[in-house]
Amino acid sequence: MTKEHANWSPYDNNGGTCVAIAGADYCVIAADTRMSTGYSILTRDYSKISKLADKSFMASSGFQADVKALQKVLSSRHLIYQHQHNKQMSCPAMAQLLSNTLYYKRFFPYYAFNVLGGLDSEGKGCVFTYDAVGSYERVGYSAQGSGATLITPFLDNQLKSPSPLLLPAKDAVTPLSEAEAVDLVKTCFSSATERDIYTGDSVEIIILNANGVRRETEQLRKD
Amino acid sequence: MSSEGMDGPKLGFSFDLYSRNDMLTKKGLKPPGYLKTGTTIVGLIFKDGVILGADTRATAGPIVADKNCEKIHYMAPNIYCCGAGTAADTEAVTDNISSQLKLHRYHTGRESRVVTALTLLKSHLFRYQGHVSAALVLGGVDVTGPHLHTIYPHGSTDTLPFATMGSGSLAAMAIFESEYREGLTRDEGVNLVTKAICSGIFNDLGSGSNVDICVIEKGKKEYLRNHLTPNPRTYISSKGYAFSKKTEVLLTKITPLKELVDVVQVGGDAMEE
C-alpha cells in the first residue's frame, strides 16, 4: 500500500549558509544575506543573524518564517529571564533554552538550522551547533545551511579539529587570532559562493569580544 | 513548495478548482509543464544575421559543477546551436547532427541549411519521445537568409525573431520583450543579448558566471567566448593558505602475514597431483 502524500507543504527552504568560529577571547558569527525560493532570489539583503542577548548571537538558515518565529520566542523568553533574575542570560544558558524550544516542537519542527555563537561567563568564545529538533553540542566552529558541506571540510583542514575519538579530549577553541579568523570566514564564504547557487550577494560578519560587538560586511558574487 | 503538472494519482484533499480546470482543458489549455533547469540561452535576428547568447554555469542540483562551460555548440560553419537541459543530451545530440550535416555537405557539395539541422534535430528528439532532455536555440545564416528556431525536448519547433530557453528564460525574455525591435545593428544586437543573458545570470539561480556570444552573418561568424565576465572572485586572502602534503596518520599496525598463514612444503613438484 503506497502512503498518501500531501500536495501542499507548510515548509519552504530560503537557502543560505551560516558559520561561527570560537576563539580564545572572541567569537565570529557570519551568515550570507541572500534569501531565495526555488530558483529565484527574494532579496539580496536579508540578515539571518539575530542578537539573543548581549553575549549571544544566533545565525539560522532554512525556512526564514520559522526562523523569525523562533527568534521572537527566544527574545521573549530572554526578556522574562531578565525580569526574574535581574541579569542577562549567559551563552551556555541560551544554548540550553534554544535546544528546549526546538524540541518543544519535535512533531512539527522549526525548519531552522542554527548556529549559536557568543562568549561564555569566562569570556572565552563558544559556539553551539544544532539540528532542526534541538540536538546540540558545544564546538570550536561550525557551519550550517546549503553551503555547510562545502565549508566544513575546509575548516576541519585549517583548524585541525581534534577528533572526538581521540582521548584525552582536546580543547574546542581555535588557536587563531581574531583577524585570522575573520579572514578565514571571508574565504569560506567567497569559496562557497563559487559552488553553491543559494549562497551569495554579501556576507554579514559579527565579531564579539571583550570590547563589545563589531559588524563587517563583505560583498559576494551576485549570480 | 513547487507547482507541478499532472504527476500520478492525486492523493489527499484536492484544493483544485475543478470546474475551472475542466473548462480550461475543454478550451484547449494544457497543464503547465516542468521548468527547464539551470541555464539561460537566447537568440535574436538582427539586420545582417543571427546572434546567439548563453550563460556559462552548469549545475548538478544546488551545486555548480562547471563555472565556465560552453553552451553554444558548433553545428556547421554557418550554424550554431545553444543547448539547455541535460548537458550530456545537448552535447550528444548537437555533435551527432553536426556529423550528419558534414556528411550531407560532402554528399551535396553545398553549404548546410538551418532547416536541415532543424529537421534532423526535431526528428531525433521526437523519436526519443522527450527522454532526450535537450531544449535548443538553433541559429544560422544560409543561402535562404538568417534563421532562428527553438526546439523542445519532445520535438516541437518554433520559428521566431527572438527566443529564450532554460530556467532563466523568463528573466531574459522580459528584456527582449521590452527592448527588441526589427533591424537592429550588430552592436545593438550584441548589447541586447548581453543584457538578456545578464538578466538571467543575476536573477536566476540556475544561471551564472559569464556571457558567451556568437554572431553569425552571411559568409562569416564570430564566436565571442566569455564576451563579458561580470562575476570575478570577490575575496582572495592576501596571506594564502597552507595545506599539509600528507594525510595525517592516526594509527600504524603491521601484521606480518606469516603469522596468519601456515606455509607447508609438500614433497615433490607442487604442480603434480
Side-chain angles (χ1 to χ4, degrees):
Chain A
M1 279 288 282
T2 51
K3 194 167 178 190
E4 270 194 28
H5 276 118
N7 32 9
W8 176 82
S9 166
Y11 297 113
D12 187 16
N13 190 347
N14 300 120
T17 308
C18 305
V19 170
I21 301 180
D25 61 348
Y26 66 87
C27 187
V28 179
I29 303 106
D32 72 322
T33 60
R34 172 177 282 178
M35 186 167 159
S36 53
T37 179
Y39 275 111
S40 302
I41 297 177
L42 290 169
T43 178
R44 298 190 193 272
D45 194 15
Y46 190 83
S47 174
K48 299 199 238 298
I49 304 180
S50 111
K51 179 176 163 174
L52 300 178
D54 271 352
K55 303 215 162 101
S56 306
F57 282 78
M58 178 175 77
S60 318
S61 75
F63 183 32
Q64 290 303 320
D66 271 357
V67 167
K68 185 121 279 178
L70 180 64
Q71 287 168 352
K72 284 170 117 179
V73 166
L74 291 170
S75 68
S76 147
R77 288 297 308 273
H78 184 229
L79 188 61
I80 295 169
Y81 182 95
Q82 287 178 282
H83 287 146
Q84 291 174 343
H85 296 86
N86 201 25
K87 64 171 181 174
Q88 295 258 328
M89 265 176 105
S90 68
C91 195
M94 186 58 85
Q96 185 68 59
L97 177 63
L98 175 54
S99 170
N100 294 342
T101 311
L102 291 170
Y103 198 78
Y104 193 71
K105 272 170 62 70
R106 170 66 179 82
F107 298 110
F108 182 11
Y110 288 106
Y111 191 141
F113 299 100
N114 309 294
V115 154
L116 184 72
L119 302 172
D120 64 13
S121 6
E122 293 164 22
K124 279 201 232 173
C126 61
V127 169
F128 297 89
T129 189
Y130 295 79
D131 72 355
V133 283
S135 159
Y136 81 111
E137 187 193 357
R138 181 170 177 172
V139 286
Y141 59 89
S142 175
Q144 290 278 3
S146 56
T149 47
L150 297 165
I151 292 175
T152 306
F154 177 61
L155 289 181
D156 284 345
N157 176 275
Q158 292 299 307
L159 303 177
K160 288 196 173 55
S161 170
S163 165
L165 301 172
L166 292 174
L167 293 170
K170 280 170 77 175
D171 198 20
V173 147
T174 343
L176 287 183
S177 75
E178 189 186 294
E180 285 176 317
V182 174
D183 183 81
L184 189 63
V185 162
K186 289 180 183 174
T187 305
C188 282
F189 274 92
S190 72
S191 304
T193 303
E194 294 280 313
R195 292 288 176 175
D196 177 29
I197 62 179
Y198 298 118
T199 304
D201 292 330
S202 71
V203 55
E204 184 189 4
I205 307 173
I206 303 274
I207 304 112
L208 207 58
N209 56 25
N211 306 331
V213 193
R214 204 174 86 240
R215 197 170 163 275
E216 270 188 52
T217 308
E218 185 73 31
Q219 295 300 309
L220 297 171
R221 274 173 69 148
K222 298 176 195 319
D223 64 350
Chain B
M1 306 214 265
S2 57
S3 58
E4 293 189 338
M6 313 286 216
D7 56 345
K10 286 234 162 146
L11 302 167
F13 186 81
S14 174
F15 291 88
D16 283 348
L17 299 172
Y18 277 115
S19 8
R20 179 204 68 161
N21 290 352
D22 274 348
M23 182 267 289
L24 287 172
T25 322
K26 279 191 187 71
K27 289 206 172 169
L29 187 79
K30 289 167 279 306
Y34 295 87
L35 248 189
K36 279 107 195 161
T37 48
T39 293
T40 308
I41 49 173
V42 306
L44 64 66
I45 299 201
F46 73 108
K47 193 155 55 72
D48 307 315
V50 171
I51 306 177
L52 300 174
D55 75 306
T56 62
R57 173 182 282 182
T59 52
I63 302 294
V64 177
D66 191 342
K67 294 187 273 189
N68 203 190
C69 72
E70 289 185 35
K71 299 186 191 183
I72 305 183
H73 308 284
Y74 169 90
M75 297 289 278
N78 58 324
I79 307 171
Y80 277 75
C81 187
C82 304
T86 306
D89 285 341
T90 57
E91 199 68 52
V93 82
T94 48
D95 272 357
N96 187 283
I97 271 68
S98 173
S99 300
Q100 288 187 42
L101 285 174
K102 188 157 197 193
L103 290 170
H104 194 249
R105 281 200 293 284
Y106 283 135
H107 190 76
T108 59
R110 289 181 171 85
E111 191 189 57
S112 295
R113 299 190 187 190
V114 182
V115 285
T116 316
L118 182 70
T119 308
L120 290 170
L121 285 164
K122 70 150 71 183
S123 320
H124 181 96
L125 293 174
F126 182 79
R127 216 167 342 114
Y128 282 88
Q129 287 294 295
H131 291 289
V132 174
S133 181
L136 312 166
V137 170
L138 176 72
V141 181
D142 56 30
V143 285
T144 351
H147 297 275
L148 179 68
H149 304 279
T150 50
I151 312 169
Y152 292 82
H154 286 265
S156 65
T157 59
D158 288 317
T159 307
L160 299 161
F162 56 93
T164 66
M165 298 281 259
S167 60
S169 61
L170 272 69
M173 189 51 98
I175 302 293
F176 274 176
E177 287 287 14
S178 313
E179 298 179 40
Y180 180 84
R181 53 197 162 76
E182 273 182 49
L184 290 165
T185 65
R186 183 198 178 281
D187 287 341
E188 286 174 332
V190 169
N191 286 340
L192 187 58
V193 164
T194 307
K195 223 171 150 181
I197 297 291
C198 281
S199 173
I201 285 173
F202 291 110
N203 299 111
D204 174 43
L205 296 177
S207 312
S209 294
N210 315 123
V211 181
D212 281 354
I213 304 257
C214 188
V215 185
I216 310 171
E217 294 172 78
K218 184 166 150 65
K220 67 169 173 178
K221 56 135 187 268
E222 259 183 278
Y223 186 77
L224 305 168
R225 167 77 169 149
N226 287 5
H227 171 68
L228 195 70
T229 50
N231 288 297
R233 208 193 161 112
T234 45
Y235 184 80
I236 300 172
S237 169
S238 46
K239 71 175 177 76
Y241 285 94
F243 299 94
S244 55
K245 291 207 173 84
K246 298 186 289 191
T247 313
E248 229 179 282
V249 177
L250 294 175
L251 175 70
T252 311
K253 185 177 176 195
I254 304 169
T255 312
L257 285 175
K258 280 215 189 102
E259 286 177 21
L260 295 175
V261 175
D262 284 333
V263 180
V264 176
Q265 273 289 63
V266 180
D269 205 327
M271 286 294 172
E272 273 181 19
E273 272 292 291

